[in-house]
């Protein structure tokens, strides 16, 4: 099979490329990525010369480029990771989120309709369900939880999900959607909580916790997410949504303290800063459906996954030092100076 992975130079997409090449050596993997600030070719350097791998630099919103790729590759499956993915950036500048996350999704699905496809898989997020209150630990997101978004980012992802289901109903496109909780692991861009805190702590810089740091996220090791998507594209039912995650809830402040302890850094580095606008309180996934239908459950315990992740950042300084040496400095200054 030929599998097109869009956004494969980013965090989860690159982990998925590695997962496919390792676990399905019979499949050809074609990565389509625009290489925005979040996409880095150094992330894919070890597989650039792999005989089953091809990299194409293109924008998913660029219809001509997308159609050309379909004519050349005749993909059997498309897995769409390409997105603007950072909530804080969406609060500053929503427009590019609407363009890539909504229009880009529709262009990809138009190509699937025009050239035919075995499966179009949309990588979505638990953020489309909005948030849960902190005082109701008995509540979880199921696939039936109504869409109820908070940020421009989550609204753009929810819009894409609605379009995906509309293409299924209207045109019979064979689609699936996964809605995953917060991922962590190798190649995570340092604008996000865990890598940002590791990198700042290593430099003895302040650790900027939004508000009290009591917000809860349901953390999933990225390889477990890749396994889930692989199960869904091969055995998931067409037209279905699958929630991915499960019972690994942590407050932000707990995570930052754990990172300090692991790196032998003082908690006095923790600095409480102005909260994110519209900040979601708690995400928590009920993974019953994917477990009962596809036998998937998270395999990596948070205690192990976070140590592996910290070790990865210690062992791969070149990767992140290059990233934070450029435009990232302006971003950091704008978002965190005098916050
Ligand atoms: P990321 O920001 O690390 O990577 C996004 C990738 O998409 C980059 O390589 C970027 O260059 C590429 N891209 C952006 N715009 C593009 C365009 N117009 N055309 C082609 N390529 C483009 O994101 P991530 O964290 O790896 O997330 C991947 C997907 O998973 C996203 O759809 C996101 O919404 C979803 N998701 C992420 C998480 C998480 O915790 N990171 C959780 C649930 C769902
Ligand atoms: O500097 C920070 N300080 C801080 O307290 C940063 C960057 C974040 N936070 C808080 C905000 C959140 O409560 O940490 C939590 C996690 O923040 P992010 O890493 O930005 O992730 P989140 O907003 O939860 O969204 C992530 O999970 C769902 C991904 O970025 C999305 O792409 C995915 O859909």
């Amino acid at each position: 099979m030929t599998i097109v992975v869009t956004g494969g130079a980013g965090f989860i997409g690159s982990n998925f490329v590695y997962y496919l090449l390792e676990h399905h050596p019979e499949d050809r993997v074609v990565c389509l990525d625009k290489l925005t600030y979040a996409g880095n070719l150094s992330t894919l350097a070890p597989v650039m010369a792999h005989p089953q791998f091809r990299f194409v630099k293109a924008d998913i919103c660029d219809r001509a480029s997308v159609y050309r790729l379909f004519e050349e590759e005749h993909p059997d499956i498309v897995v769409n990771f390409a997105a603007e993915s950072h909530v804080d950036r969406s609060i500053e500048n929503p427009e590019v989120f609407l363009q890539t996350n909504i229009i880009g999704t529709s262009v990809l699905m138009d190509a699937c309709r025009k050239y035919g496809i075995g499966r179009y898989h949309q990588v979505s997020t638990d953020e489309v369900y909005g948030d849960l209150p902190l005082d109701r630990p008995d509540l979880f997101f199921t696939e039936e939880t109504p869409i109820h978004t908070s940020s421009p980012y989550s609204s753009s992802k929810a819009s894409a999900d609605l379009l995906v289901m509309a293409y299924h109903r209207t045109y019979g496109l064979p689609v699936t959607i996964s809605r995953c909780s917060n991922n962590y692991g190798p190649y995570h861009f340092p604008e996000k909580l865990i890598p940002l805190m590791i990198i700042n702590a290593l430099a003895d810089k302040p650790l900027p916790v939004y508000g009290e740091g009591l917000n809860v996220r349901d953390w999933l090791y990225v390889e477990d997410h890749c396994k889930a998507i692989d199960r869904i594209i091969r055995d998931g039912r067409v037209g279905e949504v699958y929630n991915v995650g499960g019972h690994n809830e942590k407050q932000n402040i707990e995570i930052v303290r754990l990172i300090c302890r692991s790196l032998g850094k003082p908690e006095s580095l923790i600095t409480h800063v102005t909260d994110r606008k519209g900040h979601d309180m708690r995400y928590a996934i009920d993974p019953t459906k994917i477990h009962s239908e596809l036998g998937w459950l998270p395999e990596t315990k948070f205690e192990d996954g976070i140590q592996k992740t910290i070790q990865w950042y210690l062992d791969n300084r070149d990767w992140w030092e290059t990233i934070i040496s450029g435009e990232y400095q302006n971003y950091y200054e704008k978002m965190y100076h005098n916050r």
Side-chain angles (χ1 to χ4, degrees), residues 6-14 32-40 58-62 80-86 96 99-101 104 122-127 153 157 178-184 187-189 191-192 219-220 225:
T6 67
F11 166 43
I12 310 175
S14 60
L32 182 151
D33 198 296
K34 184 181 177 182
L35 297 181
T36 66
Y37 78 91
N40 288 284
D59 186 335
I60 58 166
C61 303
D62 176 356
N80 181 25
F81 292 92
E84 288 293 333
S85 70
H86 193 33
V96 66
Q99 189 63 29
T100 287
N101 299 1
Q122 178 72 3
V123 181
S124 185
T125 169
D126 60 358
E127 296 197 20
Y153 162 71
K157 294 295 288 184
S178 51
R179 294 184 178 143
C180 189
S181 56
N182 285 58
N183 285 215
Y184 67 102
Y187 301 113
H188 204 179
F189 194 85
E191 67 192 349
K192 307 283 169 48
W219 292 94
L220 182 71
H225 187 189

Side-chain angles (χ1 to χ4, degrees), residues 1-6 16 20-21 24-32 51-56 68-79 112 116-121 230 233-234:
M1 282 201 299
T2 297
I3 304 177
V4 166
V5 178
T6 67
F16 189 65
L20 286 179
L21 291 173
H24 298 284
E26 70 286 2
D27 290 338
R28 177 171 164 75
V29 180
V30 179
C31 169
L32 182 151
Q52 292 290 74
F53 179 72
R54 178 183 174 200
F55 178 81
V56 177
R68 195 176 320 117
L69 182 80
F70 272 68
E71 277 165 19
E72 289 168 3
E73 295 288 349
H74 310 288
D76 301 286
I77 298 178
V78 171
V79 184
C112 293
I117 196 84
R119 179 68 64 84
Y120 174 86
H121 182 75
D230 192 45
I233 60 176
R234 289 165 206 274

